[in-house]
């Protein structure tokens, strides 16, 4: 076989094996499932914390955003958080109706003018403030344990 042909075939084989690695590492390729679920948070891990940081940042820059957080409980159904902001107010709805042990079962909606992420030594807390008629001035709405970071 011709030496040039062998070198070209080796180069093609190298690129064929190396390009998928480069594509994944540089995020040229992102699985469709990850793209489709970027606004649905379930794991409350490092990726989800970054998405929550993005929500807070977008709100503070007066930009809109929308996401859903499914907060699983230990022994019963999930709490579902629907979050919408137009950049001026944040509307956060908490639905615990699927949790067998919640009492009362209800959907509670908060419309607030401020949201922030607070970090303690053990957890992250998303906190709403300036809500409605001045009640619930500081409302911890979502609590994430740090040991869940991955």
């Amino acid at each position: 076989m011709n030496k040039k042909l062998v070198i070209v075939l080796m180069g093609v084989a190298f690129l064929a094996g190396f390009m998928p690695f480069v594509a994944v590492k540089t995020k040229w390729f992102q699985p469709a499932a990850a793209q489709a679920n970027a606004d649905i948070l379930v794991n409350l891990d490092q990726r989800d914390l970054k998405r929550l940081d993005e929500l807070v940042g977008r709100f503070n820059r007066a930009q809109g955003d929308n996401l859903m957080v499914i907060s699983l409980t230990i022994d019963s159904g999930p709490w579902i958080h629907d979050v919408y902001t137009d950049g001026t107010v944040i509307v956060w709805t908490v639905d615990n109706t699927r949790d067998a042990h919640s009492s009362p079962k209800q959907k509670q909606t908060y419309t607030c003018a401020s949201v922030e992420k607070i970090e303690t030594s053990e957890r992250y807390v998303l906190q709403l403030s300036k809500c409605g008629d001045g009640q619930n001035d500081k409302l911890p709405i979502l609590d994430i344990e740090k040991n869940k970071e991955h």
Side-chain angles (χ1 to χ4, degrees), residues 3-13:
K3 280 187 176 183
K4 287 183 182 179
L5 181 59
V6 169
I7 291 172
V8 168
L9 289 175
M10 287 176 54
V12 168

Side-chain angles (χ1 to χ4, degrees), residues 18-109:
F18 185 68
M19 287 308 290
F21 174 78
V22 170
V24 169
K25 287 298 182 184
T26 60
K27 298 185 183 184
W28 287 348
F29 168 77
Q30 190 175 28
Q35 289 177 352
N37 294 327
D39 295 331
I40 301 174
L41 310 182
V42 177
N43 299 317
L44 300 179
D45 57 5
Q46 191 62 38
R47 179 186 150 271
D48 289 355
L49 283 169
K50 286 180 184 177
R51 181 61 182 90
L52 290 167
D53 283 338
E54 181 182 340
L55 169 80
V56 172
R58 290 180 60 84
F59 179 80
N60 290 332
R61 291 188 306 273
Q63 298 173 333
D65 206 350
N66 191 16
L67 63 87
M68 177 183 286
V69 180
I70 301 174
S71 179
L72 302 174
T73 58
I74 295 172
D75 58 354
S76 59
W79 286 38
I80 299 173
H81 301 250
D82 284 312
V83 185
Y84 168 78
T85 179
D86 63 1
T88 61
V89 295
I90 187 162
V91 179
W92 197 298
T93 301
V94 181
D95 177 359
N96 70 357
T97 59
R98 292 169 184 88
D99 182 2
H101 298 294
S102 286
S103 181
K105 293 182 187 324
Q106 63 184 356
K107 286 184 183 181
Q108 183 71 42
T109 299

